[in-house]
């Protein structure tokens, strides 16, 4: 009997080594959760939706709301269905992956600042339904990649600002706070005029389209046509206004007080870190923010929401983006494998 018990214990111990216990954590997925109805949003019957990943344990749980990338013109709430949605839910986090209004080619439907207003409404919906979805309303982070990384940063830097929270007064949670407790941004666009300029140079690599008009479609024009919009949509401007070196004229911003997790590919031809993530991290530090910066070697763009999480421990290797499959492929460990343990530590320490 003792020998049999010993064998069972050995099997359980070995299983836990190979398959960590948190992998077996159960969760439920609520698809197409309607978070708002904004009359100026075309398509989708005016409804804005998201997918909610909720751990099965009692809660309340910390939560993170994710916004997909896609140059403000592509993508939807399903972009995190194969990676961060399940991965974080298995580890005790409620994940709300949302869609937001998208611009159209040719500048026929510019979506600034509408996509930020949609994201604000989604955050209010998440906090307003905290009990229903087992969320700790005081522990909500926001995150995203590329365009979604820009929106996540702006959510943090414009917390509860009336200009971005009071347009849709009929939303059922219009009076709920949009404060956040942490920010996660992967290769975000933080300086809009700079990125617009980059898309006009021959090194810009958006293979199916060549040089694009994503920024013009987003704003309805160039930085010369809409300078105020480009300025307003650039997170780095809010941060630089809070620089300590400004002394008495430094502006207070609640976004500086929350912790930031900024990650990027060190070989990104689409949103080069030296023009976006790196100066943004420097500006955050100059303003006194708590920043976790995670540059990822040997990779470019697209991997955060179109790449796998395999659990391998090595750094990413032999990675490329398949434009036809819209999939970031690696023969070994992936960029998300590299980032995942660092992100989990950040969330555990700050939520």
């Amino acid at each position: 009997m003792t020998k049999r018990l010993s064998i069972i214990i050995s099997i359980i111990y070995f299983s836990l080594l190979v398959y960590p216990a948190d992998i077996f954590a159960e969760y439920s997925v609520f698809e197409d959760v309607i978070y708002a109805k904004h009359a100026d949003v075309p398509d989708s019957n005016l409804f804005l939706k998201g997918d909610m990943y909720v751990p099965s344990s009692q809660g309340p749980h910390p939560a993170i709301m994710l916004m997909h990338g896609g140059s403000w013109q592509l993508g939807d709430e399903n972009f995190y269905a194969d990676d961060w949605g399940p991965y974080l839910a298995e580890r005790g986090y409620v994940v709300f992956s949302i869609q937001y209004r998208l611009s159209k080619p040719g500048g026929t439907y510019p979506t600034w600042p509408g996509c930020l207003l949609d994201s604000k409404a989604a955050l209010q919906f998440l906090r307003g339904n905290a009990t229903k979805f087992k969320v700790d309303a005081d522990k909500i982070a926001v995150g995203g990649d590329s365009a979604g990384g820009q929106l996540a940063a702006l959510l943090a830097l414009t917390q509860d600002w009336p200009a971005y929270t009071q347009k849709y007064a009929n939303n059922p949670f219009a009076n709920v706070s949009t404060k956040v407790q942490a920010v996660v941004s992967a290769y975000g666009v933080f300086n809009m005029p700079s990125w617009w300029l980059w898309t006009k140079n021959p090194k810009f690599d958006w293979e199916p389209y060549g040089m694009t008009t994503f920024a013009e479609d987003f704003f309805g024009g160039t930085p010369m046509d809409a300078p105020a919009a480009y300025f307003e949509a650039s997170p780095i401007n809010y941060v630089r206004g809070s620089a300590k070196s400004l002394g008495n004229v430094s502006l207070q911003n609640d976004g500086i007080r929350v912790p930031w997790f900024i990650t990027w590919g060190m070989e990104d031809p689409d949103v080069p870190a030296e023009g976006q993530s790196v100066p943004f991290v420097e500006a955050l530090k100059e303003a006194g923010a708590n920043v976790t910066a995670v540059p990822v070697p040997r990779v470019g763009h697209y991997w955060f929401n179109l790449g796998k999480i395999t659990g391998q421990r090595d750094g990413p290797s032999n990675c490329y983006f398949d434009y036809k499959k819209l999939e970031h492929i690696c023969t070994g460990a992936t960029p998300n494998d590299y980032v995942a343990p660092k992100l989990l530590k950040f969330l555990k320490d700050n939520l």
Side-chain angles (χ1 to χ4, degrees):
M1 187 72 174
T2 303
K3 183 178 180 181
R4 178 181 175 85
L5 180 61
S6 177
I7 292 173
I8 292 173
I9 292 173
S10 297
I11 291 173
I12 294 173
Y13 177 72
F14 177 76
S15 298
L16 290 174
L17 287 177
V18 178
Y19 303 106
D22 57 6
I23 289 180
F24 294 109
E26 296 181 354
Y27 64 93
S28 299
V29 182
F30 300 89
E31 296 181 341
D32 298 330
V33 176
I34 296 172
Y35 69 79
K37 181 179 180 180
H38 292 164
D40 53 345
V41 178
D43 306 328
S44 302
N45 298 318
L46 309 181
F47 289 111
L48 293 159
K49 301 176 292 185
D51 291 343
M52 194 84 69
Y53 301 79
V54 182
S56 299
S57 53
Q58 184 175 359
H61 304 283
I64 180 167
M65 189 178 84
L66 295 176
M67 289 146 289
H68 62 82
S71 300
W72 306 276
Q73 196 168 106
L74 307 166
D76 57 35
E77 69 275 16
N78 297 313
F79 265 35
Y80 293 108
D82 295 327
D83 40 66
W84 296 109
Y87 182 85
L88 291 173
E90 287 172 343
R91 287 153 179 82
Y93 296 90
V94 174
V95 180
F96 191 28
S97 176
I98 70 164
Q99 63 173 211
Y100 49 87
R101 73 186 75 187
L102 300 175
S103 63
K104 297 183 182 297
T108 59
Y109 182 67
T111 55
W112 174 260
C115 56
L116 178 60
L117 303 181
D118 297 341
S119 302
K120 290 272 188 180
L123 180 56
Q124 291 173 318
F125 174 89
L126 179 61
R127 179 167 278 121
N129 283 283
T131 301
K132 178 179 179 179
F133 293 110
K134 299 188 288 188
V135 171
D136 186 334
D138 294 322
K139 295 183 178 181
I140 298 178
V142 289
D145 68 294
S146 198
Q150 178 245 13
L151 291 173
L154 286 171
L155 283 174
L157 293 165
T158 62
Q159 299 183 49
D160 286 341
W161 287 18
Y164 300 112
T165 58
Q166 295 183 357
K167 179 174 181 179
Y168 300 101
N170 292 328
N171 282 351
F173 302 101
N175 294 319
V176 172
S177 173
T178 59
K179 287 188 177 297
V180 301
Q181 282 67 53
V183 189
V184 176
S185 182
Y187 42 82
V189 181
F190 303 112
N191 185 325
M192 295 302 306
S194 175
W195 188 73
W196 172 84
L197 189 61
W198 174 252
T199 65
K200 304 308 170 190
N201 102 59
K203 294 181 180 180
F204 180 72
D205 176 30
W206 176 240
E207 187 175 288
Y209 299 97
M211 294 185 188
T212 76
T213 58
F214 284 135
E216 291 97 318
D217 296 341
F218 183 41
F219 293 109
T222 69
M224 288 69 76
D225 301 320
Y230 277 78
F231 182 93
E232 181 188 20
S234 298
I236 197 165
N237 292 328
Y238 300 81
V239 177
R240 283 177 172 163
S242 298
K244 289 185 175 181
S245 59
L246 293 175
N248 292 335
V249 297
S250 176
L251 302 175
Q252 295 297 313
N253 190 304
D254 288 341
I256 303 302
R257 298 187 180 95
V258 303
W260 293 73
F261 184 96
I262 309 292
T263 185
W264 64 88
M266 296 174 68
E267 299 176 7
D268 190 336
D270 297 306
V271 183
E274 58 270 22
Q276 299 292 336
S277 292
V278 171
F280 187 67
V281 166
E282 292 173 351
L284 283 170
K285 290 180 177 179
E286 187 180 356
N290 174 7
V291 187
T292 299
V294 183
V296 184
R298 300 184 297 278
V299 295
H301 208 69
Y302 310 113
W303 46 266
F304 192 77
N305 72 346
L306 294 173
K308 304 296 184 184
I309 308 173
T310 70
Q312 298 183 63
R313 296 295 184 182
D314 297 330
S317 59
N318 300 320
C319 298
Y320 67 96
F321 183 68
D322 188 317
Y323 284 91
K324 293 183 179 179
K325 295 181 179 179
L326 288 181
E327 183 179 356
H328 195 273
I329 299 172
C330 299
T331 58
T334 70
N336 283 335
D337 289 330
Y338 182 84
V339 167
K342 301 174 178 62
L343 178 56
L344 287 178
K345 183 179 186 305
F346 171 84
L347 293 174
K348 181 179 178 181
D349 291 345
N350 294 292
L351 285 183

